[in-house]
Amino acid sequence: MIIELDMQSDIPIYTQLTNQIIEGIASGSLKPGEALPSVRSLASDIGINLHTVNKAYQLLKQEDYIHIHRQKGVVVNPNGMPEANKEFSDKQNAQIRPLIAEAILRGVTLEEMKEMMERIYQEIEPPVNKADNKKE
Amino acid sequence: MIIELDMQSDIPIYTQLTNQIIEGIASGSLKPGEALPSVRSLASDIGINLHTVNKAYQLLKQEDYIHIHRQKGVVVNPNGMPEANKEFSDKQNAQIRPLIAEAILRGVTLEEMKEMMERIYQEIEPPVNKADNKKE
Amino acid sequence: MIIELDMQSDIPIYTQLTNQIIEGIASGSLKPGEALPSVRSLASDIGINLHTVNKAYQLLKQEDYIHIHRQKGVVVNPNGMPEANKEFSDKQNAQIRPLIAEAILRGVTLEEMKEMMERIYQEIEPPVNKADNKKE
Amino acid sequence: MIIELDMQSDIPIYTQLTNQIIEGIASGSLKPGEALPSVRSLASDIGINLHTVNKAYQLLKQEDYIHIHRQKGVVVNPNGMPEANKEFSDKQNAQIRPLIAEAILRGVTLEEMKEMMERIYQEIEPPVNKADNKKE
DNA sequence: GTGGTCTAGACCACC
DNA sequence: GTGGTCTAGACCACT
């Protein structure tokens, strides 16, 4: 999996990294149980600080998306992802609401918004091959 | 118009304020040409520093959502809102993408996402009463 | 002579007014000795504050471009305009320098700058009819 | 690079600072990719408040002349400067027009104006020594 | 150590 | 009374 960071962006590096790993899992390029690079090697690979990688991993662990073992290293949660609960859905709402408000203000229709969402959703969503659950 | 700020939130106050005013315009509670409170009065009303209010106003001005006159104060852009252009749509995309990715990861379906968007959209969108176009 | 003010602009109204009168004289639409509207009537004509018009007139008087008589009212200096002295040329230099610097920075050539200046100059400059010096 | 500010001038300090940095880039004393002093160190060096320096930097960032990294600090845009577009040229026009009008009014000829512009242009323009392109 | 944010308080330009 | 500018000083996020 390729990580692309924009060092010019004003989005914190650890956030970009977190988002990319989330998208990797969501898209199926990272599968449950699959190993992630160690903090040290990932940091040196993409040329950023150890602490930054660590912070990203800690956030992902906190959401139960990954597990961090002292010996075995870092793996995508082998039991699969936690489902959306109320807390998650509230957070999503709070984040998406201002985006929708600004879109309405600029005259974007509900249809256009839905199309945009659908396009992005399908761009990320993995192809649903019926029997794609086997361990690699 | 009521402004609600969460001083504990890690979202900057000026961002919260900006978002609320945007939502106010989007929902029709603030109409083109309508005056906004002065920097100082709004600041004292909601108990924050005038510079914080000013920063929010400057951002809204930068997007051409409001006009700031040196003496007359602040008004919602009387010529209406700028339309969505490519730059805006790119920014929206970049902001919404990680939200969608995380939703996919947690098993939210496209349908559920669309429903959420539709709900929020209609919550904000001003009711289009047929005879609501006359000047007040 | 038509005065056009942009109330949205962040250039002070009195500056805009001053500039327009200067351009009026420079272009020949306002001739030496010609009367200008009274402070009161100009203010009411263009719908601005008395003080604002007065400030503009005072600045023009200070440069000796106009005369203000208690009884006769306001007239363009009948003796013609003061010539450029060192003070004036220094001020012009200081004002134009940052504009040139930014143009250089953005890759505008000296030729292009000269062309721009020539175009504006000729746009403003009055047609030089050989015998146009007679009193009106 | 030496910064000279006139604290008595009625030109805002942050504008003076912005202009000087622009001239520094235009003249080649500040090269793309080169680091600028941190907000705090520059502020203390020239004895002004850090917010004033910050405002100048924000304006330069807005024009894409510099980049601001949260931790790495401030650098001249390594990709070089944006080219002059219509917006820029319109702004330049609007700013230079009153200067030209006043010069005409005071009898300055087009030739003299062009000479002044050429003198300033060449004063700022970096000397194009044939072998000056190598990285330092 | 860097920029980002926020506060408190001051003076000025404009109208 | 309005926004514009500047100062002084503080805490936080990021790397």
PDB file of all heavy atoms in Angstrom, chain A residues 79-90:
ATOM      1  N   ASN A  79     -10.380  -9.473  13.952  1.00  0.00           N
ATOM      2  CA  ASN A  79     -11.790  -9.782  14.176  1.00  0.00           C
ATOM      3  C   ASN A  79     -12.715  -8.883  13.355  1.00  0.00           C
ATOM      4  O   ASN A  79     -13.924  -8.869  13.560  1.00  0.00           O
ATOM      5  CB  ASN A  79     -12.122  -9.610  15.652  1.00  0.00           C
ATOM      6  CG  ASN A  79     -11.116 -10.344  16.532  1.00  0.00           C
ATOM      7  OD1 ASN A  79     -10.781 -11.499  16.238  1.00  0.00           O
ATOM      8  ND2 ASN A  79     -10.608  -9.672  17.554  1.00  0.00           N
ATOM      9  N   GLY A  80     -12.129  -8.124  12.483  1.00  0.00           N
ATOM     10  CA  GLY A  80     -12.945  -7.223  11.676  1.00  0.00           C
ATOM     11  C   GLY A  80     -13.154  -5.897  12.375  1.00  0.00           C
ATOM     12  O   GLY A  80     -12.705  -5.667  13.503  1.00  0.00           O
ATOM     13  N   MET A  81     -13.851  -5.027  11.691  1.00  0.00           N
ATOM     14  CA  MET A  81     -13.998  -3.656  12.173  1.00  0.00           C
ATOM     15  C   MET A  81     -15.198  -3.522  13.107  1.00  0.00           C
ATOM     16  O   MET A  81     -16.192  -4.221  12.947  1.00  0.00           O
ATOM     17  CB  MET A  81     -14.188  -2.709  10.980  1.00  0.00           C
ATOM     18  CG  MET A  81     -12.961  -2.646  10.102  1.00  0.00           C
ATOM     19  SD  MET A  81     -11.529  -2.002  11.001  1.00  0.00           S
ATOM     20  CE  MET A  81     -10.355  -3.351  10.804  1.00  0.00           C
ATOM     21  N   PRO A  82     -15.099  -2.617  14.066  1.00  0.00           N
ATOM     22  CA  PRO A  82     -16.256  -2.330  14.909  1.00  0.00           C
ATOM     23  C   PRO A  82     -17.371  -1.705  14.067  1.00  0.00           C
ATOM     24  O   PRO A  82     -17.101  -1.016  13.087  1.00  0.00           O
ATOM     25  CB  PRO A  82     -15.713  -1.306  15.912  1.00  0.00           C
ATOM     26  CG  PRO A  82     -14.515  -0.716  15.272  1.00  0.00           C
ATOM     27  CD  PRO A  82     -13.941  -1.792  14.403  1.00  0.00           C
ATOM     28  N   GLU A  83     -18.597  -1.978  14.451  1.00  0.00           N
ATOM     29  CA  GLU A  83     -19.711  -1.398  13.700  1.00  0.00           C
ATOM     30  C   GLU A  83     -19.944   0.054  14.091  1.00  0.00           C
ATOM     31  O   GLU A  83     -19.439   0.531  15.102  1.00  0.00           O
ATOM     32  CB  GLU A  83     -20.981  -2.222  13.946  1.00  0.00           C
ATOM     33  CG  GLU A  83     -20.864  -3.625  13.372  1.00  0.00           C
ATOM     34  CD  GLU A  83     -22.223  -4.274  13.227  1.00  0.00           C
ATOM     35  OE1 GLU A  83     -23.209  -3.677  13.714  1.00  0.00           O
ATOM     36  OE2 GLU A  83     -22.300  -5.368  12.633  1.00  0.00           O
ATOM     37  N   ALA A  84     -20.711   0.721  13.271  1.00  0.00           N
ATOM     38  CA  ALA A  84     -21.048   2.103  13.584  1.00  0.00           C
ATOM     39  C   ALA A  84     -21.989   2.138  14.775  1.00  0.00           C
ATOM     40  O   ALA A  84     -23.048   1.525  14.754  1.00  0.00           O
ATOM     41  CB  ALA A  84     -21.713   2.747  12.377  1.00  0.00           C
ATOM     42  N   ASN A  85     -21.606   2.823  15.823  1.00  0.00           N
ATOM     43  CA  ASN A  85     -22.497   3.002  16.974  1.00  0.00           C
ATOM     44  C   ASN A  85     -22.975   4.450  17.029  1.00  0.00           C
ATOM     45  O   ASN A  85     -22.658   5.244  16.155  1.00  0.00           O
ATOM     46  CB  ASN A  85     -21.773   2.617  18.260  1.00  0.00           C
ATOM     47  CG  ASN A  85     -20.438   3.333  18.374  1.00  0.00           C
ATOM     48  OD1 ASN A  85     -20.200   4.320  17.665  1.00  0.00           O
ATOM     49  ND2 ASN A  85     -19.567   2.849  19.233  1.00  0.00           N
ATOM     50  N   LYS A  86     -23.699   4.747  18.079  1.00  0.00           N
ATOM     51  CA  LYS A  86     -24.255   6.105  18.135  1.00  0.00           C
ATOM     52  C   LYS A  86     -23.157   7.161  18.203  1.00  0.00           C
ATOM     53  O   LYS A  86     -23.212   8.188  17.536  1.00  0.00           O
ATOM     54  CB  LYS A  86     -25.189   6.234  19.348  1.00  0.00           C
ATOM     55  CG  LYS A  86     -25.797   7.631  19.451  1.00  0.00           C
ATOM     56  CD  LYS A  86     -27.052   7.677  20.254  1.00  0.00           C
ATOM     57  CE  LYS A  86     -27.689   9.066  20.166  1.00  0.00           C
ATOM     58  NZ  LYS A  86     -26.737  10.167  20.099  1.00  0.00           N
ATOM     59  N   GLU A  87     -22.152   6.862  18.992  1.00  0.00           N
ATOM     60  CA  GLU A  87     -21.061   7.826  19.136  1.00  0.00           C
ATOM     61  C   GLU A  87     -20.431   8.149  17.781  1.00  0.00           C
ATOM     62  O   GLU A  87     -20.197   9.310  17.441  1.00  0.00           O
ATOM     63  CB  GLU A  87     -19.991   7.231  20.073  1.00  0.00           C
ATOM     64  CG  GLU A  87     -18.854   8.167  20.409  1.00  0.00           C
ATOM     65  CD  GLU A  87     -17.684   7.412  21.056  1.00  0.00           C
ATOM     66  OE1 GLU A  87     -17.776   6.159  21.196  1.00  0.00           O
ATOM     67  OE2 GLU A  87     -16.704   8.066  21.423  1.00  0.00           O
ATOM     68  N   PHE A  88     -20.197   7.092  17.013  1.00  0.00           N
ATOM     69  CA  PHE A  88     -19.594   7.285  15.692  1.00  0.00           C
ATOM     70  C   PHE A  88     -20.514   8.106  14.801  1.00  0.00           C
ATOM     71  O   PHE A  88     -20.086   9.066  14.147  1.00  0.00           O
ATOM     72  CB  PHE A  88     -19.320   5.932  15.030  1.00  0.00           C
ATOM     73  CG  PHE A  88     -18.835   6.060  13.615  1.00  0.00           C
ATOM     74  CD1 PHE A  88     -17.534   6.473  13.357  1.00  0.00           C
ATOM     75  CD2 PHE A  88     -19.684   5.777  12.548  1.00  0.00           C
ATOM     76  CE1 PHE A  88     -17.088   6.588  12.042  1.00  0.00           C
ATOM     77  CE2 PHE A  88     -19.237   5.899  11.233  1.00  0.00           C
ATOM     78  CZ  PHE A  88     -17.943   6.308  10.992  1.00  0.00           C
ATOM     79  N   SER A  89     -21.772   7.747  14.833  1.00  0.00           N
ATOM     80  CA  SER A  89     -22.711   8.410  13.939  1.00  0.00           C
ATOM     81  C   SER A  89     -22.888   9.876  14.335  1.00  0.00           C
ATOM     82  O   SER A  89     -23.025  10.759  13.477  1.00  0.00           O
ATOM     83  CB  SER A  89     -24.024   7.622  13.962  1.00  0.00           C
ATOM     84  OG  SER A  89     -25.119   8.450  14.058  1.00  0.00           O
ATOM     85  N   ASP A  90     -22.850  10.163  15.626  1.00  0.00           N
ATOM     86  CA  ASP A  90     -22.916  11.564  16.064  1.00  0.00           C
ATOM     87  C   ASP A  90     -21.711  12.349  15.566  1.00  0.00           C
ATOM     88  O   ASP A  90     -21.841  13.487  15.106  1.00  0.00           O
ATOM     89  CB  ASP A  90     -22.967  11.637  17.598  1.00  0.00           C
ATOM     90  CG  ASP A  90     -24.337  11.260  18.130  1.00  0.00           C
ATOM     91  OD1 ASP A  90     -25.265  11.121  17.304  1.00  0.00           O
ATOM     92  OD2 ASP A  90     -24.487  11.104  19.351  1.00  0.00           O
TER      93      ASP A  90
END
